[in-house]
Amino acid sequence: MKTPDNNEDEALQKALKRKFDDFAPEPDPSWKKGIFDTLQISNGTAYIRPLLVAAALIVILFLTAIEYDFISINMIRKSDITNEEITVRHDSGWQIKSKNETAAEKSKIIIDLKSSIPEPGKLSFSNTGNMSFKKGKEEKIHSASKVKMVKEALEGKHNEVSTFTENETARISNQLSKEKDLLTDSPLTKVSPGTELLKFNIPKIKPLAIRAFIASNFNPVLKINTQAISRNENAKPEILKTEKKLKFLFNITSMNTFQELTVQAIPGVVYQNIGFPTKFSAKRLGLKLTGGVEKNGFQLLLNYGQFDQSFQYEIATDEFVVNEKNPVGDKIVRKGIKYNENSTLKLFGIGLKRHTLITKNSVFRNYFGDVGIEYSRELTAGSNVIWGNAGFGKQIMISKNTSLTIGPYFEYSLMKLVNPDSKFQVKPYQIGIAAGLRFGQK
Amino acid sequence: MKFFRSKKYNSLTELVLACQRLEPSAQTIFYERYKAKLTGICLRYAKTKMEAEDIFQEAFIKVFKNLNEVKDIASIDSWVKSVVIRTAINYYNRTTKDQLLHSSIDDFPKELESADYDTIIEQLNVEVLLKIINQLPDIYRMVVNLHLIDGYTHAEIGKIMSIPDSTSRSNFMRARHLLMKKLQEKGITQYENS
C-alpha cells in the first residue's frame, strides 16, 4: 500500500529524472588534460614531435644514402676515364695508383717483359723444372719452388714482393740491358703490344718459366707491384689535413629533458607531492635544430629548440584525511590542492662550439668531440639562458665534400628559469642523440 | 589542419576493446563519448564546480585504468556511470567533515501537494535545480541523487555508502524534506517574481 510519502517520492523522482536525464553539459577543456596527463595518453598532437624527429632523421639518412651513391658512381666513372692519382706519399718513393693506372702499368710490365727477354739460346731448362741462366762464368739456379712463388706474386696471389738491394738491382739492370742489346735479331724483339708471346716459335721455353725468370731478374720498373703495395699495411698513407676551409653544418637533435626544481619558501604556503613525468615519455622529448658554419674546428651556430616543462604539485590545506588503504595502518595525509604546470619552452639562440676530429690511426679514428657554450632567448617568457654543451660521436665521410655526424649530446643550463605561474625555479638539462651533416671541401 | 585522421571504430565493443589495448585514439574517442554525461553526474554529486572537476578527473582515470575488468561490454554505459557515482561517494567519504544535520522532518509545514513539486521542478531551470541540490548537506545530496535521480534502492545505497539500509532510509527522509522545503521556497520566490 502506497503512503502519501511514496507518492511524493514518485512524483519527485519522475520530475527530477526527467529534468536530469538529458543534463550533459560540456566539461571545461582543461579537465581533459588532467586525465590524459595522468594516464600518459597522447592526444593527437603529442605524436607530432617524435614523428617529426624521426622523419627528419630518416630524411638525413636518405639524403646521405643518395648522395653517397651518386658520388661513388661519379668517382668510379672518373677513375675509369682518367688516371687520376688518389693519394701520394712523397717521402717513401712508393706510389699508390688508381686501378686504371695499375692496369696501364701491367701492360707496361708485359712490354717490358718482352723487351727484357734475354736471348733464348742462353736459357736452359732441366726436366725437373729447374732453370739456369748463363752469364759468362756465373750460373743462377732457380728452384721450382721459387718459380712457383714468383708465379703467385705475378698473379696476385702473394702479397710479398721480392726485394733486392741496390747493388743487386743495379747489377741485374745492367745485365738485362746488356742482354737486351743481344736480342736485336731475335723475333721476340719484334713483338708488338697485343701479340701473344707464345705465337713465336721458341722451343723448349715454357711461358711460365720465362715469366719466372724475368720476374726474378726484373727491371726496377717491374718491382712496383701496385697490387701488393695497395695491400701492404705498412705503407699507410697519411691523410692530409686541410680543415681550414669553411664548412656548413646542419644538425637535428632529439633530447630527453630533465629538470632541477627549486621551490622558494613562501610564508604560509606548504608545497607537497611534487612530481614530474616519467623518465622516458613524449612529454619530456625536446627537439633542437642547429645550422651554422665551421672554420678551423670552431663552429658558429644558430639554433632553435623547444621542449616541454611539466610538473605537478599540491599546496597543502589545513585538512587531513586518514588513508585507510595503507597496509601498515591508517595513515594521516594532509590534503592538498593539486596544480599542474605545463608549458612549452621555445628557445632561439646562438652558440660557439669547438669540434675536434681524431684523424690519427687508432680505434678512435674519425670519432669527434664537441664542447661549446650557447646563449638562448626563451621566446614565450622572454628570459635568457646560457647553456654548456658537449657531445661526441662518429664522423662518417659519405662523399668528398659531405660527412655525417652522429652521437650522444648533452646540454646543461647554467642559469635557472623562473616559471611564470608558480615562480618555481627550474634548471633544465637535456640528454639526447644528435645527427647532422657537414658540407664543404675537406 | 589535421595531421592524423582518427581511427574509425564501428561499434562500441570495438572502441572498448581498443581502449583496453590502450590505443590513444580510442581513449580519446571514449572520453569524448562520455565526457558530457559524466560531467552532469559530477555536477549533481559535487558541492562546487571545482569539486566536480576533481571527481570527474578521478573517475575518468579509474575508468581507463579498470576498463580491462569489464567483461560485458554491452553494459559499459552503466558501468562507467557507477564508477563515477562511487568515486563521488568516496570523495565525500574522504573529505566530508561531520556536518551538523539538525534538519527535522517537522521543521517545515507541508503546504504543497506532490503534483505541485512536479510543477515547480518542471518550471525550474536545470541550473537552478542543480544549485538547490548542491546546497544540500553532503549526505543528503548523496542520497537524493542516488535514490531520486539515479534510482538506487536503499539496500544498494546502504551497500555503496557502507551504512545500514535504515540509515539510508532515514537520511533520505530528511533529505527529501529539506529538498521539498527548498523547492517550495524557490517555487514561491519564483511565483512572486513572475
Side-chain angles (χ1 to χ4, degrees):
Chain A
M1 186 185 153
K2 285 189 176 179
T3 62
D5 280 349
N6 290 139
N7 291 334
E8 279 179 0
D9 285 354
E10 276 184 16
L12 275 171
Q13 207 163 23
K14 279 181 185 170
L16 286 170
K17 261 182 159 306
R18 208 168 41 241
K19 207 74 184 175
F20 283 109
D21 261 357
D22 298 324
F23 181 58
E26 281 294 309
D28 193 290
S30 64
W31 293 13
K32 181 184 176 182
K33 202 170 185 334
I35 298 163
F36 280 53
D37 284 352
T38 308
L39 293 168
Q40 303 286 324
I41 298 171
S42 313
N43 54 359
T45 52
Y47 280 124
I48 294 171
R49 200 184 300 167
L51 277 173
L52 278 177
V53 174
L57 284 171
I58 289 166
V59 166
I60 286 179
L61 290 172
F62 182 70
L63 289 173
T64 303
I66 287 174
E67 189 171 353
Y68 180 77
D69 281 351
F70 179 74
I71 299 291
S72 300
I73 290 162
N74 270 1
M75 283 175 74
I76 290 163
R77 282 179 185 161
K78 263 189 173 178
S79 64
D80 284 346
I81 295 160
T82 63
N83 286 337
E84 190 182 28
E85 198 167 279
I86 298 167
T87 316
V88 177
R89 188 177 172 180
H90 298 282
D91 56 340
S92 66
W94 292 101
Q95 291 190 339
I96 298 169
K97 294 172 182 178
S98 67
K99 284 180 181 177
N100 202 30
E101 196 167 5
T102 307
E105 203 163 70
K106 277 181 181 170
S107 308
K108 193 181 175 190
I109 288 167
I110 291 166
I111 302 302
D112 286 339
L113 270 171
K114 291 164 185 171
S115 62
S116 308
I117 287 171
E119 193 178 347
K122 290 203 171 187
L123 287 166
S124 63
F125 295 88
S126 69
N127 292 334
T128 56
N130 285 347
M131 178 179 71
S132 61
F133 171 60
K134 266 191 178 178
K135 182 207 159 193
K137 291 177 184 176
E138 277 186 54
E139 185 175 287
K140 279 189 175 179
I141 297 171
H142 302 271
S143 67
S145 61
K146 185 157 187 183
V147 170
K148 189 183 172 191
M149 187 195 81
V150 173
K151 179 193 166 196
E152 284 177 354
L154 281 170
E155 289 175 0
K157 291 178 186 172
H158 216 288
N159 287 338
E160 289 176 14
V161 178
S162 301
T163 52
F164 292 85
T165 61
E166 281 185 17
N167 288 339
E168 281 176 317
T169 308
R171 183 178 56 76
I172 292 164
S173 300
N174 191 30
Q175 177 60 31
L176 285 172
S177 63
K178 282 179 186 171
E179 298 285 343
K180 206 162 66 176
D181 294 341
L182 300 172
L183 291 173
T184 46
D185 298 328
S186 168
L188 283 170
T189 55
K190 291 162 187 155
V191 170
S192 58
T195 310
E196 286 184 27
L197 201 60
L198 287 175
K199 286 181 182 175
F200 295 92
N201 184 21
I202 312 170
K204 299 178 186 175
I205 299 176
K206 296 174 184 174
L208 178 61
I210 294 170
R211 290 168 67 194
F213 170 75
I214 298 302
S216 62
N217 295 281
F218 61 84
N219 186 301
V221 176
L222 298 177
K223 193 165 66 176
I224 300 169
N225 184 338
T226 52
Q227 195 169 9
I229 291 164
S230 64
R231 292 184 186 187
N232 192 345
E233 289 179 1
N234 292 326
K236 284 176 183 168
E238 189 180 333
I239 292 177
L240 300 173
K241 277 181 73 178
T242 50
E243 293 278 346
K244 289 180 181 176
K245 287 187 178 173
L246 200 66
K247 285 188 177 62
F248 295 93
L249 315 165
F250 174 73
N251 277 299
I252 182 164
T253 311
S254 174
M255 293 180 288
N256 205 26
T257 308
F258 302 88
Q259 46 204 343
E260 288 173 12
L261 193 69
T262 308
V263 182
Q264 287 189 321
I266 299 172
V269 178
V270 177
Y271 296 102
Q272 61 182 28
N273 297 330
I274 296 168
F276 297 98
T278 52
K279 279 187 179 176
F280 298 98
S281 71
K283 288 187 74 178
R284 282 183 179 267
L285 200 62
L287 175 70
K288 189 175 182 181
L289 298 169
T290 310
V293 290
E294 179 187 314
K295 194 171 184 181
N296 296 337
F298 285 98
Q299 299 177 345
L300 183 65
L301 303 160
L302 285 175
N303 47 61
Y304 172 80
Q306 70 174 56
F307 62 90
D308 285 339
Q309 190 184 64
S310 48
F311 54 89
Q312 61 183 39
Y313 62 95
E314 286 180 1
I315 293 178
T317 63
D318 295 333
E319 292 179 35
F320 291 83
V321 290
V322 178
N323 187 355
E324 293 175 354
K325 289 175 185 172
N326 197 331
V328 184
D330 291 353
K331 188 182 175 187
I332 299 169
V333 180
R334 193 166 182 175
K335 200 185 165 196
I337 303 162
K338 203 179 278 182
Y339 292 92
N340 285 306
E341 290 294 341
N342 293 298
S343 52
T344 301
L345 274 69
K346 294 175 180 175
L347 299 145
F348 183 76
I350 189 165
L352 192 65
K353 220 183 252 186
R354 176 77 174 117
H355 179 79
T356 310
L357 177 69
I358 299 169
T359 54
K360 286 181 183 174
N361 289 325
S362 69
V363 286
F364 297 111
R365 186 174 177 170
N366 288 333
Y367 278 85
F368 69 88
D370 285 342
V371 61
I373 194 155
E374 187 180 306
Y375 161 80
S376 295
R377 177 86 174 162
E378 206 290 298
L379 300 177
T380 314
S383 51
N384 300 318
V385 198
I386 292 175
W387 303 83
N389 56 50
F392 67 94
K394 177 101 176 169
Q395 186 167 313
I396 305 157
M397 283 296 293
I398 53 176
S399 76
K400 194 177 174 186
N401 298 331
T402 314
S403 54
L404 172 76
T405 55
I406 190 158
Y409 178 81
F410 171 76
E411 66 179 25
Y412 185 83
S413 169
L414 303 174
M415 295 171 72
K416 287 176 179 172
L417 291 162
V418 180
N419 186 290
D421 299 325
S422 61
K423 302 298 174 192
F424 290 176
Q425 293 179 337
V426 180
K427 207 174 192 183
Y429 59 98
Q430 301 181 299
I431 301 168
I433 297 284
L437 288 173
R438 296 157 58 82
F439 303 99
Q441 282 195 329
K442 197 175 179 182
Chain B
M1 182 182 162
K2 274 198 170 182
F3 286 96
F4 303 97
R5 195 173 290 173
S6 298
K7 263 188 179 178
K8 293 275 170 106
Y9 299 96
N10 295 321
S11 66
L12 182 61
T13 309
E14 271 185 31
L15 179 68
V16 174
L17 289 172
C19 287
Q20 288 175 343
R21 291 194 299 271
L22 304 176
E23 286 182 19
S25 59
Q27 287 173 318
T28 305
I29 294 168
F30 188 92
Y31 173 83
E32 295 297 325
R33 179 188 163 95
Y34 288 104
K35 65 176 185 182
K37 194 73 191 166
L38 299 195
T39 304
I41 298 171
C42 292
L43 287 171
R44 276 197 286 119
Y45 279 84
K47 202 184 314 184
T48 64
K49 200 177 174 184
M50 276 181 70
E51 286 180 357
E53 181 185 347
D54 284 351
I55 295 166
F56 180 85
Q57 291 183 332
E58 195 179 324
F60 248 118
I61 289 164
K62 276 185 186 171
V63 165
F64 281 125
K65 282 186 174 173
N66 298 299
L67 208 54
N68 280 321
E69 293 168 9
V70 178
K71 303 293 174 204
D72 181 16
I73 294 175
S75 63
I76 188 78
D77 288 355
S78 57
W79 179 80
V80 171
K81 187 180 173 182
S82 72
V83 170
V84 178
I85 290 170
R86 283 169 194 274
T87 306
I89 290 164
N90 286 340
Y91 184 89
Y92 281 99
N93 282 340
R94 289 203 308 265
T95 58
T96 301
K97 291 176 180 176
D98 291 332
Q99 291 178 325
L100 296 172
L101 305 171
H102 291 308
S103 173
S104 166
I105 296 171
D106 305 322
D107 274 357
F108 84 102
K110 284 185 188 176
E111 291 171 1
L112 300 171
E113 296 300 317
S114 55
D116 297 328
Y117 293 111
D118 187 47
T119 313
I120 292 169
I121 290 168
E122 198 58 46
Q123 286 175 349
L124 285 176
N125 185 296
V126 71
E127 271 75 32
V128 177
L129 194 56
L130 188 68
K131 201 171 177 183
I132 291 170
I133 294 170
N134 290 156
Q135 283 169 352
L136 294 171
D138 292 343
I139 294 168
Y140 292 170
R141 191 172 65 253
M142 293 297 129
V143 78
V144 162
N145 269 302
L146 286 165
H147 186 65
L148 285 181
I149 303 172
D150 293 316
Y152 286 90
T153 64
H154 287 296
E156 288 169 329
I157 295 168
K159 213 172 168 184
I160 293 169
M161 298 187 74
S162 306
I163 53 170
D165 299 7
S166 55
T167 309
S168 170
R169 212 175 294 275
S170 63
N171 280 343
F172 174 69
M173 295 302 283
R174 292 169 198 277
R176 189 190 66 169
H177 280 87
L178 190 57
L179 177 69
M180 287 163 87
K181 185 182 172 186
K182 285 184 180 291
L183 285 171
Q184 195 173 318
E185 284 168 3
K186 203 73 193 174
I188 293 165
T189 313
Q190 192 157 303
Y191 176 77
E192 286 173 347
N193 290 341
S194 61

